[in-house]
Amino acid sequence: MPHNKIMDALRQGQVVPAHPLALDENRELDERRQRALTRYYLDSGAGGVAIGVHTTQFEIREPQHDLLEPVLSLANETICNFERDASDKPIIRIAGVCGQTQQACGEAALARDCGFDIGLLSLSALKESSDDELIEHAKCVAEVIPLMGFYLQPSVGGRVLSVDFWRRFCEIPNVVAVKVAPFQRYQTLDVMRGAAASGRSDEIAFYTGNDDAIIYDLLSTFECCGGSSVRHLQFVGGLLGHWAFWTKRAVEQLECIKALRQQSDLLPTNMIELAWKVTDVNAAVFDPVNGFAGCIPGIHEILRRQGLLANRHCLNPNEALSPGQMEEIDRVYREYPHLNDDEFVKENLDRWLR
């Protein structure tokens, strides 16, 4: 179990960007800009970072790249330097954990040894496994590192998971959080119902990964039956690729939502407007019209415009913006200037790039 300060921060709810991968013109790791990205997130007020996840590109695990350990170590070192200067704020380190059980346990051990607190458990490699096999897999990995469950949308490689799976998963003692990202309302409810039935929902932090419904998720309360009692579950924060850019604004939005929860049950109309505007931005950047093919290059394009990245390069040279996507990004930049944090980046970029 992570130490008390990390658990407290996790349960209070944080902005956790899904960290991209900075590459140079030769598609090699650009350590200077990789550090700059991490510094940007921390100075923006993010409470954690997630490395080795989809936004970091799964190809980092391929032998010809072998970048999983380097990016984990680089992030941990950068965070340690930040914590040394801002010791009152613990930063949650989350590492993506993938593959069949042997690979997943190996990645979990690597993450733990690199100073990470939590493993974000992807089940994409176990598409044909039964619930019993999935739970045994999760238990094995949970013996190595505390887990954040992950409901990944089936359209990008995830699988449908039942209410009963989520009940059994949340019963595992070393499960500390769940990232809910099926991009689907029915399946989002399934997680909450399963967690409530587990009897451990009060011990688990729920993070939205539904990039198409970020603000709606954070404003919602889910009333679910848990045994003989009714439990009220909320998303406390988010672990999102969408929060890998314009992160300063994301932190401000989450703080505003936290304040609203304390003040009133009424939902201000300006928050409803914010919700659909954020979703519109996400549509431009994540490219759902093309099956999310341009998602990572879209994030890179925003960061490139800000000077944080030198280019949009991915490890896979065929991964690029979709036709018309650049124009959509231009449009949301033009229509929602208040949602970007370009000035904040401009003021600090030279310092982050040192």
Side-chain angles (χ1 to χ4, degrees):
M1 190 70 71
H3 65 71
N4 289 340
K5 284 188 176 181
I6 291 294
M7 282 305 304
D8 288 346
L10 183 72
R11 289 168 178 162
Q12 287 165 10
Q14 306 296 331
V15 166
V16 182
H19 203 304
L21 182 69
L23 298 176
D24 63 20
E25 290 305 314
N26 297 314
R27 299 184 194 273
E28 302 287 339
L29 177 63
D30 186 335
E31 291 193 9
R32 175 168 164 260
R33 290 187 180 275
Q34 190 74 9
R35 288 183 188 275
L37 274 178
T38 307
R39 290 167 177 156
Y40 159 56
Y41 298 136
L42 299 178
D43 280 352
S44 294
V49 292
I51 311 285
V53 294
H54 172 251
T55 311
T56 324
Q57 301 174 47
F58 290 129
E59 289 88 348
I60 62 174
R61 295 167 169 82
E62 295 176 357
Q64 67 268 33
H65 303 301
D66 194 22
L67 287 174
L68 181 57
E69 189 278 333
V71 296
L72 291 174
S73 295
L74 197 60
N76 182 58
E77 180 185 331
T78 307
I79 294 168
C80 284
N81 290 336
F82 176 84
E83 289 178 323
R84 184 189 59 215
D85 300 328
S87 58
D88 60 324
K89 181 175 181 179
I91 301 299
I92 305 164
R93 297 156 171 85
I94 300 173
V97 173
C98 302
Q100 299 285 338
T101 304
Q102 183 176 357
Q103 177 185 338
C105 287
E107 291 190 6
L110 173 63
R112 180 198 61 205
D113 295 345
C114 287
F116 278 68
D117 305 297
I118 298 167
L120 177 67
L121 185 65
S122 170
L123 300 174
S124 295
L126 293 90
K127 286 189 174 65
E128 304 304 320
S129 299
S130 66
D131 279 6
D132 287 346
E133 291 167 332
L134 293 177
I135 294 300
E136 285 307 308
H137 171 80
K139 286 179 177 177
C140 288
V141 184
E143 291 178 1
V144 182
I145 195 170
L147 291 187
M148 173 181 272
F150 184 15
Y151 201 159
L152 174 64
Q153 57 170 317
S155 61
V156 293
R159 54 170 289 171
V160 175
L161 297 163
S162 67
V163 174
D164 192 58
F165 165 81
W166 286 111
R167 175 188 62 79
R168 295 173 64 187
F169 181 84
C170 291
E171 288 172 349
I172 299 171
N174 215 22
V175 168
V176 297
V178 178
K179 170 181 173 173
V180 186
F183 283 39
Q184 213 251 30
R185 297 290 88 195
Y186 300 119
Q187 292 164 355
T188 295
L189 286 170
D190 286 346
V191 179
M192 296 307 196
R193 289 176 55 212
S198 76
R200 291 192 66 243
S201 58
D202 293 343
E203 303 171 45
I204 294 172
F206 298 96
Y207 277 65
T208 181
N210 288 319
D211 299 77
D212 63 339
I214 299 168
I215 305 300
Y216 296 111
D217 274 357
L218 292 170
L219 288 168
S220 299
T221 298
F222 299 83
E223 186 177 285
C224 303
C225 292
S228 59
S229 63
V230 174
R231 296 176 182 265
H232 295 86
L233 283 63
Q234 287 185 322
F235 286 106
V236 296
L239 193 168
L240 296 152
H242 187 93
W243 282 354
F245 64 93
W246 301 353
T247 310
K248 182 72 170 173
R249 296 292 170 259
V251 171
E252 294 167 357
Q253 291 160 14
L254 180 58
E255 290 306 311
C256 178
I257 289 168
K258 286 181 177 180
L260 284 173
R261 287 176 180 167
Q262 301 299 318
Q263 294 169 6
S264 172
D265 292 331
L266 297 176
L267 184 59
T269 55
N270 68 315
M271 295 306 296
I272 298 173
E273 291 177 8
L274 175 64
W276 66 256
K277 289 176 180 177
V278 169
T279 298
D280 192 23
V281 170
N282 184 262
V285 177
F286 272 48
D287 194 32
V289 70
N290 293 295
F292 302 94
C295 172
I296 293 175
I299 294 170
H300 288 185
E301 172 59 18
I302 301 286
L303 297 172
R304 185 200 65 79
R305 293 184 185 202
Q306 294 182 313
L308 285 157
L309 292 183
N311 52 61
R312 293 191 301 272
H313 289 344
C314 296
L315 290 171
N316 178 356
N318 296 319
E319 200 161 355
L321 292 177
S322 294
Q325 190 178 359
M326 184 73 81
E327 290 77 8
E328 276 296 285
I329 293 173
D330 289 340
R331 178 184 65 80
V332 296
Y333 240 113
R334 185 173 61 250
E335 293 184 6
Y336 312 123
H338 58 293
L339 294 183
N340 76 59
D341 61 359
D342 289 6
E343 284 302 314
F344 172 71
V345 174
K346 183 179 179 181
E347 290 167 4
N348 293 281
L349 184 59
D350 289 345
R351 178 170 58 85
W352 294 333
L353 286 169
R354 282 179 197 157

